[in-house]
Amino acid sequence: MTLENRIYFDNAATTPVYSEVIDAMIPVLKEQYGNPSSTHAHGRIARTLIEKARKSVAKLLNVSPAEIFFTSGGTEADNMAIRCAVEHLGIKHIISTKIEHHAVKHTIEHLVSQGAVTATWLKVTEDGKIDLQEIESILAENPKSLVTLMHGNNEIGTMIDLNEVGLICTKYGAVFHSDTVQTMGYFPMNLVETTVDMVNAAAHKFNGPKGVGFIYIKAGLGIGTMIFGGSQERNMRGGTENVSGIVGLAKALEMAYAKIDEKRNQISELKSYMISKLKDQIQGVQFNGDINGQSLYTVLNVSFPPNDKAEMLLFNLDIAGISCSGGSACTSGSNVGSHVLAGIGADLNRPSIRFSFGMQNTKEEVDYTVNKLLEILGN
């Protein structure tokens, strides 16, 4: 079976690149090969492309171009936000949850192990929600903290309200960072009207190229260099810029914003359709996350009743031509169970599959997938 004939339900891991994005990148790869740090004509052209892309991203988010810094992706940007807050802002305490992306969770754990900070891990409910009062009570005792909470969970889809958390952080003078990798390009973001100090994104999550992302850092925050080397990204991140990738990122985000309402309506309808089909046809099916509340419309985490056939469920779906995930893409190749499902206290004896949707998916693909699940599970 060729990839073209397979069903792709793993858009939370990565998305197909828009053809228009590829078209925008190819001339840069072919013709604009100058180093953006060079002062000659070739370099100046490359520099102009980067700054044009920066202005485009900033305009979409309603921020200053000086607040946008390009990175190699979401993981680097998460590291940058957390490590630089500790190093440059004197942060000694971090508030987060055990269901954050590993780029956040492992960074905090490393800093704790080095004695650089202490950390408080917030309690989460069985559907992945946090208690705002708990954040406030912790900040009352540790006002100069970094609060880092993802906007939308990549495995179960549960979301937080950025402004609600941000207002509490502002009250106590805390720094607020949010990993918005799963929400950038899917929900409109006016960062001037959002109480947040730093957010980050990865282009490949919104139909752009891999290996490029950005971080927004609110003006005046005082964060300094993450990667030492040259003076790129206004001395914040050394290393020659990925010019074609940055151009592709800007084009992909422009297209994402142009289609943002259409995308939400189409994918939300598809997710609701799959929920209905699964409830009707598979006895004992359950769902992880806050599917009836504030949740990513792109992610559906399905929990199936335990049985012998279910143990190989993900493998058998792959054989049937359906690409999906048993957890986040960053851990799907390992034997380690999902830290998110463990963190919400899910029954780990029940196999869980994450289906994540894009504009290319159809109801016919949902029908085929549910039928294959019935065959595999023997319902």
Side-chain angles (χ1 to χ4, degrees):
M1 179 180 287
T2 64
L3 287 178
E4 290 77 11
N5 296 325
R6 292 183 62 91
I7 294 172
Y8 186 72
F9 278 145
D10 204 17
N11 291 271
T14 197
T15 54
V17 183
Y18 286 136
S19 60
E20 294 91 337
V21 172
I22 296 171
D23 290 342
M25 293 174 65
I26 286 175
V28 182
L29 289 165
K30 283 185 173 181
E31 303 162 16
Q32 312 302 343
Y33 50 82
N35 188 316
S37 296
S38 299
T39 57
H40 50 59
H42 285 82
R44 292 196 303 272
I45 291 171
R47 170 57 53 196
T48 299
L49 291 172
I50 292 174
E51 297 312 319
K52 182 181 178 182
R54 197 187 313 278
K55 289 178 182 178
S56 174
V57 171
K59 183 178 180 181
L60 291 169
L61 302 182
N62 194 26
V63 299
S64 165
E67 296 172 302
I68 300 296
F69 302 87
F70 294 115
T71 68
S72 65
T75 292
E76 181 191 318
D78 277 330
N79 273 260
M80 184 174 184
I82 298 167
R83 296 170 73 102
C84 288
V86 172
E87 183 173 347
H88 301 295
L89 302 182
I91 297 292
K92 298 297 182 184
H93 184 254
I94 299 177
I95 300 170
S96 192
T97 75
K98 289 284 190 178
I99 65 170
E100 299 301 304
H101 190 280
H102 279 150
V104 168
K105 182 173 177 284
H106 287 174
T107 302
I108 297 170
E109 289 171 343
H110 172 75
L111 291 170
V112 170
S113 73
Q114 297 297 303
V117 296
T118 57
T120 300
W121 302 101
L122 300 171
K123 301 180 185 72
V124 293
T125 63
E126 62 183 9
D127 52 7
K129 291 188 285 190
I130 56 173
D131 183 350
L132 296 177
Q133 290 184 342
E134 184 185 11
I135 297 175
E136 183 153 15
S137 64
I138 295 167
L139 285 176
E141 297 181 3
N142 304 274
K144 194 173 182 181
S145 295
L146 169 68
V147 177
T148 176
L149 299 167
M150 66 199 317
H151 191 198
N153 189 276
N154 55 310
E155 289 196 33
I156 59 174
T158 301
M159 296 180 65
I160 65 167
D161 187 306
L162 292 178
N163 271 325
E164 286 182 346
V165 176
L167 288 172
I168 296 171
C169 292
T170 300
K171 178 179 177 181
Y172 291 95
V175 177
F176 179 33
H177 161 251
S178 184
D179 180 328
T180 57
V181 164
Q182 291 293 334
T183 54
M184 186 65 64
Y186 294 88
F187 296 86
M189 290 190 190
N190 184 336
L191 294 181
V192 165
E193 298 179 357
T194 306
T195 313
V196 64
D197 296 300
M198 294 180 282
V199 304
N200 56 284
H204 73 104
K205 303 292 188 178
F206 49 84
N207 305 97
K210 297 174 181 64
V212 63
F214 68 86
I215 183 169
Y216 156 79
I217 302 174
K218 188 176 182 179
L221 190 60
I223 281 189
T225 305
M226 167 67 178
I227 297 177
F228 292 93
S231 59
Q232 293 88 354
E233 293 303 291
R234 300 185 303 287
N235 291 306
M236 290 286 284
R237 181 192 187 274
T240 302
E241 299 93 338
N242 177 1
V243 183
S244 62
I246 290 169
V247 169
L249 180 153
K251 181 65 176 179
L253 195 59
E254 289 169 11
M255 294 184 66
Y257 266 71
K259 299 179 178 183
I260 206 159
D261 292 330
E262 176 191 357
K263 181 163 49 179
R264 182 166 190 164
N265 292 336
Q266 180 179 322
I267 298 176
S268 295
E269 182 180 351
L270 193 67
K271 178 179 175 178
S272 296
Y273 180 73
M274 190 170 199
I275 290 171
S276 177
K277 292 281 289 187
L278 289 167
K279 284 181 175 178
D280 288 344
Q281 299 193 35
I282 298 182
Q283 187 175 3
V285 71
Q286 298 176 4
F287 302 95
N288 296 311
D290 186 23
I291 66 164
N292 296 316
Q294 198 171 11
S295 182
L296 296 174
Y297 59 84
T298 50
V299 170
L300 180 63
N301 195 298
V302 187
S303 171
F304 296 93
N307 64 46
D308 293 341
K309 296 175 182 177
E311 291 182 4
M312 296 290 287
L313 186 54
L314 189 63
F315 174 78
N316 285 321
L317 285 171
D318 188 30
I319 294 298
I322 303 163
S323 296
C324 49
S325 176
S328 71
C330 302
T331 58
S332 58
S334 72
N335 293 320
V336 179
S338 165
H339 72 286
V340 173
L341 297 182
I344 63 173
D347 184 353
L348 300 183
N349 291 316
R350 294 176 61 94
S352 293
I353 300 292
R354 182 188 68 181
F355 298 97
S356 49
F357 313 102
M359 291 278 281
Q360 79 279 6
N361 293 126
T362 65
K363 289 184 177 179
E364 289 75 19
E365 291 178 333
V366 170
D367 291 338
Y368 176 85
T369 300
V370 174
N371 287 335
K372 284 298 176 183
L373 286 166
L374 287 168
E375 289 178 21
I376 294 166
L377 296 171
N379 281 33

